[in-house]
Amino acid sequence: EYQWKGPFYFIQGADPQFGLIKAWAQGDTNNGDDEWGEEIKLTEQAVQAVNKLNPKPKFFVLCGDLVHGMPGTRWKKSQEQDLKNVLKNTDQDIPLVFVSGNHDIGNTPSRETIDDYCQNWGDDYFSFWVGGVFFLVLNSQLYFDSSKCPELRQAQDAWLDEQLAVAAKQKCKHIIVFQHIPLFLSQPDEDDDYFNLEKSVRQQIMEKFHKAGIRAVFSGHYHRNAGGSYKGLEMVVSSAIGCQLGKDTHGLRVVVVTEEKVVHRYYSLTDLGSHGIEKELLDMIAKQK
């Protein structure tokens, strides 16, 4: 879909992270993830809310930390299977897009953990077109710590440069990026933190994205809503479907793409499920049809 055909929208979710709610409540995030019934219910609620939407979203993207279990841990496979069972109920006409998070491939990923992820969920980085808009999915863990697989980071970097060159030639309406770890939480020059990318790496990526004309980066990881901007590049951090670490509600983000801009709003699962998308956003989608 290289051609612009008018406004559309998609749904962004993040961090269903099966197992974290109990682990967090118990204060044992290494081994306390042996129950995830609550996350199953929340993700079912998310799928039901998305299925009810009319018109349908173009796709539903999950920005990483699909489950809590790290590679090789005891409950990971069961958590993944249960998540797949819930996601199978997503409307067949709404494609699912998966982004790898640190719990999916490890804080320090290796070729093995990334291969395992790819067999389960699809490529760890790729691009796709929807209605004249170019989307990039990145493996942000390679920017966080690629010490066990430096060649994979180099491969992603080279691929990204190629993709941005393609986008420049194709005259796409917008370029939008999905990754798990935010570039920053509120300020481009904020201090390094578990929840953002290290300053020197961040600066290089922000500058590359800015030069390429990327409109927005959507991520999760923080389990709270946050964000800011850098030279016109918007950083959007969405809270979790699963465990909340702040005062936000379990929710999803509705993202409307018009010819001029990218507008988004975070909804609680309850609100989206019972009321759907508000009129103001629906009107934007309906405008140039």
Side-chain angles (χ1 to χ4, degrees):
E1 294 192 2
Y2 295 113
Q3 304 306 313
W4 176 254
K5 297 198 176 73
F8 64 87
Y9 81 103
F10 63 86
I11 301 292
Q12 183 220 4
D15 303 272
Q17 205 157 341
F18 282 26
L20 178 59
I21 292 176
K22 182 179 178 195
W24 187 256
Q26 288 194 333
D28 179 3
T29 52
N30 291 329
N31 304 299
D33 59 333
D34 60 343
E35 286 176 22
W36 49 90
E38 211 171 327
E39 286 93 342
I40 288 177
K41 283 199 191 98
L42 289 161
T43 310
E44 283 173 344
Q45 198 182 345
V47 167
Q48 284 158 9
V50 170
N51 285 348
K52 270 197 211 165
L53 295 171
N54 185 21
K56 290 184 200 301
K58 284 283 192 177
F59 59 89
F60 177 16
V61 58
L62 282 171
C63 282
D65 282 1
L66 305 172
V67 302
H68 182 66
M70 287 278 187
T73 56
R74 186 170 173 194
W75 305 107
K76 187 176 184 70
K77 289 282 173 244
S78 309
Q79 289 167 354
E80 288 183 330
Q81 192 51 58
D82 282 354
L83 176 58
K84 286 179 183 180
N85 291 341
V86 174
L87 293 175
K88 272 179 197 155
N89 297 316
T90 309
D91 185 315
Q92 295 297 299
D93 295 329
I94 304 171
L96 285 164
V97 177
F98 297 106
V99 181
S100 63
N102 56 307
H103 283 263
D104 305 311
I105 58 176
N107 284 324
T108 308
S110 65
R111 187 176 277 280
E112 290 69 39
T113 64
I114 292 174
D115 283 350
D116 185 61
Y117 169 86
C118 292
Q119 282 168 6
N120 258 304
W121 302 102
D123 293 339
D124 59 323
Y125 58 89
F126 55 97
S127 64
F128 60 98
W129 287 84
V130 172
V133 176
F134 192 47
F135 292 93
L136 292 161
V137 170
L138 296 177
N139 178 346
S140 55
Q141 224 46 45
L142 294 173
Y143 295 127
F144 187 81
D145 183 357
S146 62
S147 56
K148 283 188 187 165
C149 53
E151 73 288 355
L152 296 184
R153 169 160 178 192
Q154 285 161 1
Q156 175 170 262
D157 284 342
W159 172 86
L160 179 59
D161 289 342
E162 280 167 22
Q163 295 294 309
L164 293 175
V166 167
K169 278 202 199 80
Q170 290 280 4
K171 304 274 187 288
C172 52
K173 276 286 172 224
H174 307 291
I175 309 173
I176 294 173
V177 171
F178 299 119
Q179 59 187 55
H180 178 62
I181 302 179
L183 297 167
F184 57 88
L185 297 172
S186 57
Q187 302 296 328
D189 58 352
E190 69 197 18
D191 291 339
D192 296 349
D193 187 293
Y194 171 76
F195 288 112
N196 62 21
L197 288 179
E198 191 251 325
K199 257 186 180 169
S200 61
V201 175
R202 179 196 318 166
Q203 188 57 44
Q204 282 172 340
I205 298 172
M206 290 190 307
E207 207 37 48
K208 179 182 281 195
F209 285 4
H210 163 66
K211 286 197 175 116
I214 289 172
R215 182 56 64 106
V217 177
F218 288 88
S219 69
H221 190 50
Y222 192 43
H223 296 253
R224 285 154 280 211
N225 287 308
S229 64
Y230 171 82
K231 298 186 182 175
L233 166 73
E234 191 182 4
M235 181 67 242
V236 185
V237 185
S238 292
S239 197
I241 291 171
C243 188
Q244 299 300 312
L245 300 184
K247 297 196 162 42
D248 294 296
T249 52
H250 307 281
L252 294 167
R253 193 172 291 277
V254 173
V255 186
V256 176
V257 184
T258 73
E259 199 154 4
E260 291 79 36
K261 56 193 177 185
V262 177
V263 181
H264 52 86
R265 201 154 293 163
Y266 187 83
Y267 288 82
S268 74
L269 296 179
T270 311
D271 272 2
L272 192 61
S274 51
H275 305 301
I277 302 170
E278 66 222 83
K279 187 174 185 308
E280 182 194 346
L281 293 185
L282 286 172
D283 287 348
M284 289 171 89
I285 301 161
K287 252 200 184 124
Q288 298 145 294
K289 282 288 186 287

